[in-house]
Amino acid sequence: MRINNLEEYKLEKENFDKNPEEFWAKKANSFTWHKKWEEVLDWDFHKAHVKWFDGGKLNITENCLDRHLASSGDQIAIKWIANNPKEKNIDISYNELYEKVCQFSNVLKNKGIKKGDRICLYMPMVPELAIAVLACARIGAIHSVVFAGFSAKSLCDRINDAQCKALITSDGGFRGNKITPLKKIADEAMKNTPSIQCCIVLERTNTPIIMKNNRDFWWHEEMKKTSIHHHAEIMDSEDQLFILYTSGSTGRPKGIVHTTAGYMIYAQYSFENVFQYNHGDLYWCTADIGWITGHTYIIYGPLLAGATTVMFEGVPTYPDAGRFWEIVEKNKINIFYTAPTAIRSLEAYGNEYVKKYDLESLKVLGTVGEPINEDAWNWYFKEIGGEKCPIVDTWWQTETGGIMISNLAGINKAKPTFATLPLPGIKACIVDENGDELETNNTEGKLCVKYPWPSMARTIYGDHQRFIDTYFSSFPGKYFSGDGCYKNEEGLFRITGRVDDVLIVSGHNLGTAEIESAIDEHKNVCESAIVGYPHSIKGNGIFAYIICHSSPKDKKATGIEINDLITKHVGPIAKVDKFLYVEGLPKTRSGKIMRRILRKIASGEFNELGDTSTLLDPNVVTSIIKESQK
Ligand code: PRX
């Protein structure tokens, strides 16, 4: 599936244009199937209906594991690096991973979990998380991984939305010098999750916990009881593989659903091509498995390709800001994939942390999650890559399942701040307000995709209408990403950021509504609106405009109380950076908050507020500006 040079790249684009279905069928042929598909593609974007390789029978874990055993069973599949540099790292070979996944599949089966059941995973970055993900897929249960930084309330909502039957968690998780009491948080969540029948708990931090009889079971005890063999459940191509929640423009997160065959094919195809993975390369993606990047580019993509994937439990700044580079040197990492927020934060710590280490092994660098500014790009290129490693700036989303727009490392040109071009097989386009495609270069508009791709989300769990409304109704006949995009004179794409009510903070996708409803829980808050403002490390900081019932006596204390509420309802990643207490909010006559104006004020751009005449009360703006200048 590898494209090896520019000629092959161009040829692949031509092949796709000539016959898209044949293009994808050729890729699909290289996988292990129990039965080949009957139809490559069936689609209707107006109904948000997409099926790939329908009628095919397979199991994704046979493609991640079993098929590699004969040739590379002893090769390391997962190289796990502990949070604490003093703790021993763990190498897990393909043979071992296969056995552990089979064993845990049997544990799940013993607990009565069946094909189609939903299982929630709330775990730290330990190998058992990858094992649990794969075991779910092996028995045909649908995994829903919830990032271990989320609160009890967020966990509870996600479990209930998908009606999960089991929860897999651990006593705690190490992150830097902190321990997150995951089981305690899970217990709080499980007070209101009637669908949960069993909870399997991994011992990791030895944090004291309470085990509830007949509901809670220790991972290690259950594993002891099971065999290392398990026949994978045979799944249909379009059977659901996983649900992953992402923020939307209402308070309720969306359970994005991915299915089996299309996701599998695109995960391997995009992994091998974007990173130009060669057999034997050591590959490290620093994301958390709680996000889509971890799903596709720590677990599925690399394992499908038979690669060695590094999994890191810790944080970039513990024990100091040289940790990433120490790991690169010690393990001789070849391909390194991280987020702009990490790059900016490590740049801010200074080059002395980088200079201490030999980064010669690096061949390819990647970035994902938010726009990367030119300064951070240059620093990454020069100081980390020694001006010899191509950088891939990869644009994609939870909903797209895999990388959509990116250069292929060393094959086609990189350009700072540009994701560059859609991968062969992806028909991305830019449209104006009316949905008309802007075909010429040097244009700016909204980023859409006009033809299905195998790893696209199929629905929002339990709410297909919301799926249609969110992604397929703004511009009928096209998938709308929610992002703005500029195409330069050479036709290269630069993502300019969200155009909806979603905020990207430190690469995390947060919904304004979700955070506002947490703020509104405060007894003195009557209404709130949050927007992003430029932040040198996080990309976007969170700025909250708050209307109180009575003027707060101690603004600092109120701010702390509000942030505690956010931590409780959403998680610490959504804490507000700046508060402004105001008398009113700029609203249209129909009552919609004009965030555009609030964004400008938060960025200090008072002279660029644009047309305020459509506001219900334009005076509100003057008073907010006055307040912000105090
Ligand atoms: O706004 C885009 C931004 O992240 C959003 C998707 O967030 P999420 O679903 O959490 O997935 C993140 C990891 C794939 C997009 O709508 N985004 C992602 N990658 C880039 C980006 N913005 C600019 N450049 C990127 N490379």
Side-chain angles (χ1 to χ4, degrees):
M1 276 207 268
R2 257 283 298 274
I3 295 167
N4 294 297
N5 51 49
L6 202 54
E7 287 68 50
E8 286 179 17
Y9 177 83
K10 287 181 182 151
L11 193 65
E12 279 291 77
K13 289 221 160 182
E14 280 168 26
N15 289 341
F16 175 73
D17 287 339
K18 263 191 246 148
N19 191 335
E21 293 189 20
E22 192 179 297
F23 175 92
W24 288 117
K26 271 197 180 152
K27 313 277 177 251
N29 267 325
S30 66
F31 291 84
T32 301
W33 296 83
H34 285 272
K35 178 176 163 277
K36 285 272 168 83
W37 54 92
E38 280 148 24
E39 194 180 16
V40 175
L41 173 65
D42 176 29
W43 67 294
D44 178 356
F45 269 0
H46 294 280
K47 295 185 186 143
H49 163 84
V50 176
K51 279 183 172 180
W52 281 97
F53 304 101
D54 205 23
K57 304 264 183 208
L58 74 159
N59 186 290
I60 192 169
T61 70
E62 290 185 328
N63 285 281
C64 288
L65 302 171
D66 309 38
R67 70 169 165 157
H68 303 312
L69 299 185
S71 61
S72 4
D74 292 331
Q75 189 203 307
I76 301 169
I78 297 178
K79 187 177 253 309
W80 178 76
I81 298 172
N83 173 62
N84 187 335
K86 294 196 186 106
E87 188 176 336
K88 209 169 154 284
N89 300 332
I90 299 175
D91 287 344
I92 304 174
S93 70
Y94 272 91
N95 279 328
E96 288 164 334
L97 185 60
Y98 165 81
E99 288 180 2
K100 292 212 155 85
V101 169
C102 286
Q103 261 186 296
F104 198 65
S105 300
N106 290 324
V107 169
L108 294 174
K109 284 281 201 199
N110 286 347
K111 292 286 161 232
I113 314 282
K114 295 188 301 295
K115 175 177 172 178
D117 287 341
R118 278 80 53 214
I119 310 296
C120 181
L121 279 61
Y122 184 64
M123 293 181 82
M125 282 287 287
V126 289
E128 287 80 359
L129 171 53
I131 291 165
V133 161
L134 293 166
C136 287
R138 194 156 183 98
I139 68 165
I142 301 162
H143 56 79
S144 164
V145 182
V146 175
F147 175 58
F150 275 125
S151 66
K153 164 94 172 38
S154 301
L155 175 62
C156 175
D157 290 349
R158 285 159 175 75
I159 290 174
N160 287 335
D161 186 78
Q163 288 292 291
C164 293
K165 198 164 168 185
L167 173 65
I168 303 165
T169 187
S170 74
D171 51 355
F174 293 115
R175 268 176 77 79
N177 52 16
K178 281 196 228 125
I179 292 180
T180 317
L182 295 176
K183 175 62 166 56
K184 198 170 153 223
I185 300 171
D187 282 342
E188 183 63 31
M190 283 190 289
K191 282 184 186 159
N192 293 304
T193 56
S195 61
I196 293 286
Q197 294 175 8
C198 111
C199 175
I200 299 172
V201 186
L202 179 80
E203 191 169 50
R204 172 69 191 126
T205 53
N206 287 316
T207 308
I209 56 167
I210 296 164
M211 296 289 278
K212 189 171 166 186
N213 246 346
N214 293 327
R215 186 197 66 187
D216 299 349
F217 304 91
W218 284 108
W219 173 293
H220 57 273
E221 286 175 4
E222 296 305 312
M223 284 289 264
K224 270 191 228 146
K225 299 179 196 160
T226 57
S227 110
I228 53 168
H229 301 289
H230 177 273
H231 276 298
E233 186 80 32
I234 298 176
M235 308 296 288
D236 288 341
S237 293
E238 280 298 331
D239 275 339
Q240 298 191 354
L241 174 65
F242 66 85
I243 303 170
L244 187 59
Y245 285 86
T246 187
S247 301
S249 53
T250 69
R252 205 159 56 86
K254 300 172 283 194
I256 300 297
V257 173
H258 284 284
T259 57
T260 305
Y263 175 81
M264 171 184 80
I265 292 156
Y266 199 78
Q268 182 176 339
Y269 165 76
S270 54
F271 170 75
E272 287 180 343
N273 283 302
V274 171
F275 299 106
Q276 287 290 296
Y277 166 77
N278 287 308
H279 186 69
D281 281 344
L282 190 56
Y283 161 87
W284 180 21
C285 166
T286 71
D288 192 287
I289 289 172
W291 311 115
I292 189 69
T293 310
H295 280 59
T296 311
Y297 298 112
I298 296 180
I299 301 185
Y300 287 114
L303 295 180
L304 286 161
T308 300
T309 179
V310 172
M311 189 175 167
F312 175 46
E313 184 186 32
V315 294
T317 49
Y318 177 81
D320 65 36
R323 190 70 204 279
F324 273 5
W325 322 128
E326 181 227 6
I327 294 173
V328 168
E329 176 186 276
K330 213 185 234 161
N331 298 282
K332 301 203 166 36
I333 305 282
N334 305 117
I335 304 172
F336 179 74
Y337 190 30
T338 195
T341 186
I343 299 169
R344 285 191 296 263
S345 125
L346 295 176
E347 180 186 0
Y349 277 95
N351 286 349
E352 78 224 61
Y353 288 103
V354 182
K355 295 270 182 273
K356 277 210 281 205
Y357 300 100
D358 175 1
L359 306 180
E360 262 307 297
S361 59
L362 289 172
K363 295 196 293 195
V364 171
L365 300 176
T367 140
V368 59
E370 57 185 310
I372 179 163
N373 48 310
E374 192 148 3
D375 175 65
W377 195 100
N378 286 327
W379 183 81
Y380 198 31
F381 185 67
K382 186 160 172 261
E383 305 300 334
I384 306 305
E387 296 184 331
K388 68 174 177 32
C389 303
I391 293 182
V392 287
D393 178 352
T394 63
W395 176 84
W396 60 296
Q397 309 177 293
T398 306
E399 296 85 342
T400 69
I403 296 167
M404 301 289 281
I405 304 181
S406 172
N407 49 316
L408 309 190
I411 303 277
N412 58 329
K413 191 172 95 168
K415 186 173 168 65
T417 78
F418 283 78
T420 73
L421 291 171
L423 263 60
I426 300 300
K427 277 195 195 172
C429 63
I430 297 180
V431 301
D432 64 15
E433 291 298 326
N434 306 318
D436 292 328
E437 195 174 331
L438 300 168
E439 285 182 70
T440 55
N441 288 342
N442 207 0
T443 43
E444 189 160 353
K446 294 178 177 177
L447 181 59
C448 291
V449 188
K450 56 183 177 178
Y451 189 82
W453 64 102
S455 65
M456 65 186 294
R458 300 297 195 262
T459 192
I460 290 175
Y461 193 81
D463 197 349
H464 195 68
Q465 190 55 46
R466 187 174 181 199
F467 188 59
I468 298 176
D469 295 344
T470 312
Y471 304 106
F472 296 91
S473 63
S474 307
F475 307 110
K478 296 186 181 69
Y479 166 86
F480 173 43
S481 66
D483 280 326
C485 186
Y486 162 69
K487 197 159 52 156
N488 77 355
E489 38 313 309
E490 298 168 272
L492 301 181
F493 291 67
R494 167 201 258 163
I495 314 303
T496 51
R498 302 292 308 182
V499 294
D500 56 10
D501 291 344
V502 171
L503 259 180
I504 310 279
V505 178
S506 295
H508 300 315
N509 202 322
L510 303 171
T512 49
E514 221 177 331
I515 303 174
E516 284 160 7
S517 74
I519 297 177
D520 297 349
E521 291 277 306
H522 191 280
K523 56 182 183 316
N524 193 20
V525 172
C526 141
E527 197 180 358
S528 63
I530 64 153
V531 293
Y533 71 95
H535 187 287
S536 63
I537 306 287
K538 301 201 241 179
N540 280 305
I542 301 183
F543 194 111
Y545 294 86
I546 313 244
I547 307 176
C548 286
H549 294 292
S550 61
S551 172
K553 285 194 196 75
D554 182 347
K555 287 187 181 162
K556 205 167 159 207
T558 307
I560 293 171
E561 285 159 17
I562 290 176
N563 270 337
D564 285 347
L565 282 165
I566 294 175
T567 304
K568 182 167 155 231
H569 289 281
V570 188
I573 48 175
K575 277 197 215 168
V576 169
D577 297 285
K578 286 189 188 169
F579 291 93
L580 189 68
Y581 296 92
V582 295
E583 300 279 311
L585 291 168
K587 288 192 179 166
T588 60
R589 276 164 231 276
S590 60
K592 197 169 166 12
I593 296 172
M594 292 272 268
R595 285 177 205 278
R596 178 177 56 79
I597 294 176
L598 294 178
R599 254 181 244 130
K600 292 282 179 200
I601 298 175
S603 317
E605 297 166 5
F606 305 124
N607 299 325
E608 297 165 36
L609 300 181
D611 183 14
T612 55
S613 63
T614 54
L615 289 176
L616 188 62
D617 176 10
N619 293 330
V620 166
V621 176
T622 329
S623 95
I624 295 180
I625 293 178
K626 232 192 236 160
E627 194 59 41
S628 77
Q629 288 172 326
K630 271 189 190 162

